Amino acid sequence: MPNIAIDGVTLEVMRNALQSIAEEMGVTLIRTALSINIKDRRDCSTAIYTPQGDLVAQAEHIPLHLGLMPTIMKAVLKAYPPNMLKPGDAIMINDPYISGSHLPDVCVFSPVFFDRELVAIVANLAHHCDIGGMAPGGMPVNATEIFQEGIRIAPVKVRKEGKLDEELVGFITNNVRTAFEFRGDMEAQLAANNVGEKRIKELAQKCGAPFIKIYMEEMLNYSERRMRARIKEMKPGVYAFEDFLEMGEADLIPIKVAIAIEDDHMTVDFTGTGGQVKGSLNCTRGVTLACVYYAVKAMTDPEIPSNGGAFRPVEVITPAGTVVNPQFPAAVSNANINTSQRITDCMLGAMAQVRPDRAMAACAGTMSLLTIGGIDPRTGTYYSYVETYGGGMGAVHNLDGMDGVHTNMTNTRNTPTEVMEMAFPLFVNKYSLIPESDGPGKYRGGLGLTREIVILDHEAHVTISTERSFTEPWGLFGGKPGRNSHCLLEQDGAVQVLPARITTVIPANSKIIYQTPGAGGMGAPWERDPQDVLRDVMEGFISVERAKTAYGVAINAATLEIEENETRKLRQEKLSA
């Protein structure tokens, strides 16, 4: 390796060059994908690695995916070390016990060679709408082992020296319900890697492969230095937090974390967390690491470049056989949806003690999954609708939480109602925010949302997976919790309550009513600016009565004006209490 002097300006130019390539890969994947889940909801991520498998650049897509990226490639290179890779190869994998995610998340990796030298590895991860298994969508809540969740793909070359292995592709698509859609999305993944390969070769043509490799390593070192500097600024000590996953009102799964900060190093210990369960809430170590990395970066310096070097100073202890590091063959599909969010809640709750200026109250705490699948009566073919729904965002120290958005470990978009009704035999009866689902506070938590879907002219296999149905999204520093989630089924005018997690068959022309959680507030509610309370009343977010009881603000319902004397009296009573 030649001796090349490193300078800050060139480092930033090279960092942005690789970041731009990763972003262009993401655009290519989204624009060429076949499924709504990728082309509309953007449930995918892209990244670039060093030849040794260290993450060096990634597009700003899904936090859960991005946090997984530093660990996946190392595992893949154990099966396919660099001497087994050739130009034109592409490796596919979805096994959670290797890749870390759940089965619908299929990863594709491609080596990039220049002058016969391995310069980099480009990669992407995309959530496919079906992966086989016992229920459409590949995320049945009643699975007790991973074999029930779908087809497992160990690291395998789906493309060899530029030639697609049609026999392998046929084997995979023969085991999924929506084969045509799977094939289309897989080819979009290959196309995205092709773009990344082309752009890196162009970069190597300009400055040479050794130059790129040296600066890749320096990018990792730079992120490590910045992270160590931020950790060193924190007060040393041990900061603990505990939260719970819901298995039933009498059966809660504790998630415990203790964060030890010493000098420029951080140890995150999940000792005391509940054991793995007979269900799909078990969270692989890879996903747990993603949650830790996200929370640490968010609470230290979000501007630190997202690469493997940033997390060298962070040690993570995940006891084997627990819900944060299960042993094979535990089912894992719904951990991404729910457990990952609770791990993040715990991390943020603990770090709020050392960085209150960056703290955020609990968000919805779930990605609120809904999958609907069956035979489309219009075409006679299988369909699979997959979507996660937004909820409330927790309030921060100087701002209200956003309403009806994805938070923390996910940031996918929604499926537009018009697109959904054209693509699937479904009718959206209602899609709106939920009034009074906020967590009261000086800064209130965000509102949850509701969607009402009618299943048209056929029975369908449905999976609902949400959280916070009886445990509440907590507030901070005097803030109050947000509203719980609620799931209902309406048939022939009768309404029944559904569990927060269920995989079942729903009769034709039934209506699913899905209501996601709100979020916690920040600071005492009676410290909220009365004008902000009035604005929420005028927007229809809260009622006149809630303004009075929760925030201590009296509003004349006829004129929608603040009654100042009554408000002062109410707030004085709050302070006296």
Side-chain angles (χ1 to χ4, degrees):
M1 190 75 70
N3 185 18
I4 297 174
I6 303 294
D7 72 89
V9 173
T10 305
L11 178 66
E12 189 67 5
V13 170
M14 292 298 293
R15 186 185 72 80
N16 279 278
L18 293 177
Q19 177 75 25
S20 297
I21 293 171
E23 295 286 355
E24 187 178 357
M25 289 170 61
V27 171
T28 302
L29 177 51
I30 290 165
R31 295 188 66 178
T32 58
L34 187 59
S35 71
I36 288 169
N37 194 52
I38 298 175
K39 69 182 180 183
D40 284 289
R41 295 193 62 245
R42 304 191 176 190
D43 196 348
C44 59
S45 297
T46 52
I48 299 171
Y49 295 86
T50 68
Q52 294 75 36
D54 292 307
L55 176 70
V56 72
Q58 54 188 349
E60 295 184 2
H61 290 159
I62 312 298
L64 181 69
H65 296 174
L66 302 180
L68 286 167
M69 290 294 190
T71 59
I72 299 175
M73 195 65 236
K74 296 285 190 180
V76 171
L77 286 176
K78 290 181 180 179
Y80 287 96
N83 63 352
M84 293 179 61
L85 300 175
K86 296 181 179 179
D89 285 352
I91 299 167
M92 178 181 286
I93 180 178
N94 80 333
D95 186 345
Y97 286 92
I98 300 174
S99 67
S101 193
H102 54 186
L103 291 176
D105 283 345
V106 177
C107 310
V108 178
F109 302 88
S110 301
V112 181
F113 288 85
F114 183 77
D115 287 342
R116 299 182 181 181
E117 181 180 359
L118 182 62
V119 180
I121 300 170
V122 293
N124 64 73
L125 184 157
H127 184 116
H128 287 253
C129 289
D130 192 76
I131 200 67
M134 63 191 293
M139 288 179 282
V141 301
N142 54 344
T144 58
E145 56 182 11
I146 195 167
F147 305 108
Q148 298 168 321
E149 296 182 317
I151 184 171
R152 289 169 57 224
I153 307 168
V156 62
K157 287 187 179 182
V158 70
R159 190 177 64 193
K160 301 172 183 176
E161 298 184 66
K163 185 175 181 181
L164 193 65
D165 188 335
E166 291 289 353
E167 291 181 349
L168 176 60
V169 173
F171 175 80
I172 296 171
T173 56
N174 200 49
N175 282 278
V176 301
R177 293 172 179 83
T178 53
F180 179 73
E181 201 166 51
F182 183 97
R183 169 101 190 206
D185 287 346
M186 180 201 70
E187 291 186 349
Q189 290 183 266
L190 292 170
N193 282 2
N194 291 345
V195 168
E197 179 181 3
K198 180 180 179 182
R199 294 291 181 254
I200 290 176
K201 285 181 177 179
E202 291 172 351
L203 190 61
Q205 188 73 46
K206 285 183 179 180
C207 53
F211 187 91
I212 292 176
K213 287 183 174 181
I214 288 172
Y215 268 94
M216 279 181 169
E217 185 59 36
E218 186 56 30
M219 289 173 207
L220 301 174
N221 296 336
Y222 171 68
S223 290
E224 179 183 0
R225 290 195 299 271
R226 284 188 59 172
M227 181 59 78
R228 289 191 184 279
R230 294 295 173 264
I231 294 175
K232 200 166 186 175
E233 293 171 354
M234 297 182 182
K235 183 179 179 181
V238 179
Y239 305 91
F241 199 85
E242 180 179 18
D243 207 335
F244 299 88
L245 277 170
E246 301 172 350
M247 287 292 283
E249 293 202 28
D251 188 9
L252 294 172
I253 306 170
I255 295 181
K256 296 183 178 182
V257 67
I259 301 174
I261 297 173
E262 184 178 358
D263 194 35
D264 64 353
H265 181 268
M266 180 184 294
T267 301
V268 179
D269 189 352
F270 287 93
T271 298
T273 292
Q276 67 187 67
V277 297
K278 286 190 175 180
S280 55
L281 289 176
N282 302 294
C283 192
T284 64
R285 176 172 164 84
V287 171
T288 300
L289 291 176
C291 301
V292 170
Y293 295 160
Y294 162 81
V296 170
K297 191 168 183 289
M299 294 292 279
T300 53
D301 183 356
E303 300 302 318
I304 294 175
S306 294
N307 59 47
F311 307 111
R312 289 171 178 168
V314 182
E315 178 187 358
V316 184
I317 300 171
T318 54
T322 63
V323 75
V324 296
N325 186 13
Q327 295 180 317
F328 180 84
V332 300
S333 59
N334 280 267
N336 287 28
I337 306 303
N338 296 309
T339 314
S340 71
Q341 297 285 53
R342 194 63 70 257
I343 293 169
T344 307
D345 283 342
C346 286
M347 286 293 301
L348 296 177
M351 294 197 72
Q353 300 166 45
V354 67
R355 288 298 304 266
D357 58 313
R358 299 195 66 88
M360 178 172 65
C363 299
T366 173
M367 299 181 196
S368 293
L369 169 77
L370 178 61
T371 69
I372 305 174
I375 303 295
D376 190 333
R378 302 170 299 180
T379 63
T381 58
Y382 271 109
Y383 76 93
S384 181
Y385 160 72
V386 177
E387 185 162 10
T388 53
Y389 292 165
M393 170 191 163
V396 294
H397 78 282
N398 60 348
L399 289 172
D400 293 344
M402 291 189 289
D403 305 313
V405 295
H406 274 306
T407 55
N408 290 335
M409 299 313 295
T410 185
N411 63 354
T412 54
R413 298 186 177 190
N414 68 350
T415 301
T417 296
E418 298 83 358
V419 171
M420 184 174 169
E421 292 180 340
M422 285 190 293
F424 308 113
L426 306 170
F427 175 74
V428 179
N429 188 66
K430 183 179 182 180
Y431 191 30
S432 67
L433 298 175
I434 302 173
E436 306 200 348
S437 54
D438 58 303
K442 180 178 181 180
Y443 298 101
R444 68 164 177 83
L447 305 177
L449 60 78
T450 183
R451 203 173 210 171
E452 299 181 6
I453 299 174
V454 180
I455 298 171
L456 300 176
D457 304 327
H458 71 295
E459 70 173 22
H461 292 264
V462 173
T463 292
I464 290 171
S465 183
T466 188
E467 261 282 333
R468 297 297 194 191
S469 64
F470 60 89
T471 61
E472 298 172 314
W474 37 265
L476 275 179
F477 310 130
K480 303 300 181 183
R483 179 182 183 268
N484 297 117
S485 64
H486 298 274
C487 302
L488 308 169
L489 179 66
E490 184 177 319
Q491 295 175 262
D492 301 321
V495 178
Q496 69 178 93
V497 178
L498 293 174
R501 287 189 293 276
I502 186 173
T503 296
T504 188
V505 177
I506 301 294
N509 304 313
S510 301
K511 183 197 295 182
I512 300 167
I513 302 170
Y514 206 143
Q515 299 176 352
T516 68
M522 179 77 73
W526 54 87
E527 294 180 4
R528 185 166 177 78
D529 187 331
Q531 291 298 325
D532 290 337
V533 178
L534 176 61
R535 181 199 64 208
D536 285 345
V537 170
M538 296 177 70
E539 292 282 356
F541 294 160
I542 64 173
S543 65
V544 169
E545 179 62 24
R546 185 172 178 83
K548 182 176 181 180
T549 57
Y551 294 97
V553 177
I555 296 174
N556 188 309
T559 61
L560 287 184
E561 294 178 349
I562 296 173
E563 297 179 351
E564 294 183 4
N565 291 335
E566 180 66 14
T567 294
R568 278 195 293 270
K569 178 182 175 183
L570 287 168
R571 294 196 159 193
Q572 187 59 46
E573 290 174 354
K574 294 273 190 182
L575 289 170
S576 299

